[in-house]
Amino acid sequence: MKPAAFEYAVPTTVAEAVALLASRNGEAKPISGGQSLMPVLNFRLAAPTLLVDLRHLPDLDRIVVEAGGTRLGAKVRWRDIEKSRELAAGQPLLCAAIAHVAHYQIRNRGTVGGSLAHADPAAEMPGLAVALDARLRIIGAKGERMVEAGEFFTGPLSTVLEPDELILEVLLPAWPASRRWGFEEFARRRGDFALAGAAVWFDTDAAGCAQNAHVGIIGASDRPRRLPAAEMALNGKALDAATIAAAVAAARAALDPMNDIHASADYRRALAGTMVERALKAALAR
Ligand SMILES: Cc1cc2nc3c(=O)[nH]c(=O)nc-3n(C[C@H](O)[C@H](O)[C@H](O)COP(=O)(O)OP(=O)(O)OC[C@H]3O[C@@H](n4cnc5c(N)ncnc54)[C@H](O)[C@@H]3O)c2cc1C
């Protein structure tokens, strides 16, 4: 398949890019790495009349790890995350999870902003943004706004982004070195989208009990989400076998996945629980 005809622009400023996006009444689309958008265009699932290529926009490929938190520009690629020593030390859960994204050709082009805007419920970056309490800095014709990742995704391939809006960067809270974490996913082949995955983290109090537990799920819901019931099963508890079993049961009970060609709903629900269990055990062993 080939895409429908489109015009193509390569702006050199964010203001110019936003103006171009706003000029077509929803018929213009940004393109970043093209790894999700080009298949969509080739199958004619979308037919924008203008593609606004972000490649020459300055400063959006920056990774900044500071005491106050981490900033990932929208054009940061999976490969950039993989290579960053600052991120390996400052955001270890992010790095471990991004290692599961696709194959190296795609990893050389696919970007943080593109993945968030595409909003695949099984993709790692949207799930991480939600599990890590990220905020997204967004700009459009009406100006800038910040959106909590937990409120950004509205369904499969759907977000709160307006057609004239661009993601500029993602802000992640600081990550204490003592934090316990685990990431586990299951895909049929290495690099495939996960059938289900879990990102978990928690801090520990003086008695060694979990505090501030976060349990995030990908692939088993219509959007990436946290599971508050599973988090409640962990908070204030020592992570023994009974606590982990209670969190897994709460996770499974909270999920209502769809049947699809890759897996039944029951299989995904069971698998998601198993991913939570493995991620918690990995967090304890780490
Ligand atoms: C074979 C294959 C396997 C893959 N496996 C995985 C996987 O295992 N896990 C995974 O997470 N992903 C996977 N991907 C997707 C890949 O990670 C994509 O790169 C990513 O989802 C989109 O990033 P992109 O930069 O290529 O975005 P693009 O394809 O350029 O754009 C995607 C969407 O985002 C919009 N967009 C892009 N940038 C912005 C921005 N800054 N602001 C607002 N909107 C923007 C575009 O208009 C478009 O709607 C796979 C892709 C392929 C082709």
Side-chain angles (χ1 to χ4, degrees), residues 167-184:
I167 300 168
L168 293 178
E169 63 178 357
V170 185
L171 289 80
L172 305 172
W175 183 269
S178 59
R179 185 164 278 168
R180 301 287 192 121
W181 60 272
F183 179 86
E184 294 289 328

Side-chain angles (χ1 to χ4, degrees), residues 29-39 54 74 78 100-103 106 109-115 117-118 122-126 161 165-168 191-194:
K29 267 203 153 308
I31 180 163
S32 189
Q35 300 303 292
S36 295
L37 185 57
M38 286 315 300
L54 308 184
W78 312 131
H100 290 266
V101 176
H103 317 284
I106 293 152
R109 296 194 67 94
T111 64
V112 165
S115 178
H118 189 63
E124 285 82 359
M125 190 66 220
L161 274 180
E165 285 187 316
L166 280 177
I167 300 168
L168 293 178
D192 279 4
F193 279 101

Side-chain angles (χ1 to χ4, degrees), residues 100 102 120-124 183-198 216-224 255-276 278:
H100 290 266
D120 190 309
E124 285 82 359
F183 179 86
E184 294 289 328
E185 72 170 51
F186 182 81
R188 287 199 176 167
R189 297 169 302 189
R190 170 134 194 102
D192 279 4
F193 279 101
L195 289 178
I217 286 286
I218 58 172
S221 190
D222 70 340
R223 69 197 79 174
L255 290 169
D256 187 17
M258 304 274 284
N259 288 305
D260 63 29
I261 55 167
H262 302 295
S264 69
D266 285 345
Y267 179 79
R268 272 190 210 268
R269 190 182 302 107
L271 183 62
T274 302
M275 295 300 105
V276 170
R278 289 185 187 170

